[in-house]
Amino acid sequence: MNSKLYPNKRDRYRLEFLKEVIPDNSKILDLGEPNPFSEIMKKEGYTVENTKGEDLDEDFSSVQNSDAEVVTAFEVFEYSVAPFNILKEIKAKKIVLTVPLRLWFASVYRRKNNQRDRLYNEFEDWQFDWLLEKSGWEIKKTKKWANPALPSIAPRPLLRHLIPRYYAVYAERNP
């Protein structure tokens, strides 16, 4: 993978994980509006459709009406009040997801004045696993990575560089 094409290290980690588990000619429904990473997936040979900005806590039509083989959600479920509901409604047989992990030294990010930019969840890995299993998914592969930004010598940035911050999961629908 060419680091010059994908200078954002988090995008490189996401793409590396995606390529490990999903063939590059797959049809993907990416939860969330079109974004730079959905464009990266297209450049890598995936057929990608995005949801339209609907509230995925209340409107499941995108996942119910999609004929995509795979659903992806890269740092989306932390914005959901009830991710269980959308996970239950996905018709695709495969999902690739990433979520931020809860860090003991940093509180959950919140912005009171912007309804679309509020985090409701940060997860422990075991917590997210339970959520997936309870909603009918069998976990096949996981991976964690720390914040890929270069650390400063201050304690919190250094800890963020050393302690895993992101959790990626590939799962398949239980029969």
Side-chain angles (χ1 to χ4, degrees):
M1 188 173 327
N2 187 335
S3 62
K4 291 182 182 189
L5 290 176
Y6 308 114
N8 181 323
K9 290 181 182 175
R10 188 168 47 163
D11 287 345
R12 279 190 283 167
Y13 293 149
R14 288 174 181 162
L15 186 59
E16 178 183 288
F17 185 76
L18 182 67
K19 286 184 158 295
E20 288 174 14
V21 295
I22 303 296
D24 62 8
N25 59 350
S26 299
K27 185 174 182 181
I28 292 175
L29 173 65
D30 187 35
L31 300 186
E33 295 174 342
N35 58 75
F37 192 70
S38 53
E39 294 305 313
I40 288 171
M41 289 190 291
K42 289 176 185 177
K43 287 179 187 172
E44 291 293 323
Y46 296 100
T47 302
V48 180
E49 175 188 358
N50 287 85
T51 54
K52 310 293 186 258
E54 64 272 31
D55 182 342
L56 297 174
D57 279 322
E58 298 177 343
D59 183 350
F60 310 127
S61 59
S62 288
V63 297
Q64 292 169 331
N65 298 324
S66 174
D67 63 350
E69 305 159 274
V70 181
V71 168
T72 59
F74 299 102
E75 287 99 65
V76 169
F77 288 116
E78 62 270 26
Y79 296 97
S80 176
V81 173
F84 173 83
N85 297 328
I86 191 82
L87 287 165
K88 284 288 288 180
E89 296 295 329
I90 293 172
K91 283 184 7 184
K93 301 294 183 210
K94 300 175 183 181
I95 55 175
V96 178
L97 315 170
T98 61
V99 293
L101 292 171
R102 179 176 294 132
L103 299 176
W104 57 269
F105 57 86
S107 59
V108 174
Y109 163 83
R110 69 179 179 181
R111 184 176 290 171
K112 291 183 180 181
N113 297 334
N114 185 341
Q115 289 286 353
R116 293 179 59 97
D117 196 16
R118 288 187 180 178
L119 294 187
Y120 294 99
N121 298 295
E122 287 186 328
F123 299 91
E124 302 278 345
D125 55 358
W126 57 267
Q127 213 178 17
F128 196 62
D129 291 351
W130 281 357
L131 174 64
L132 292 172
E133 291 165 5
K134 185 168 174 94
S135 58
W137 297 95
E138 182 179 343
I139 296 168
K140 300 292 187 177
K141 184 173 183 134
T142 65
K143 191 175 205 173
K144 294 180 190 177
W145 60 84
N147 187 338
L150 292 175
S152 74
I153 59 171
R156 278 180 38 156
L158 184 59
L159 286 170
R160 282 190 173 122
H161 186 71
L162 298 173
I163 296 173
R165 173 67 171 140
Y166 299 99
Y167 184 52
V169 177
Y170 165 63
E172 295 178 0
R173 176 68 72 192
N174 281 334

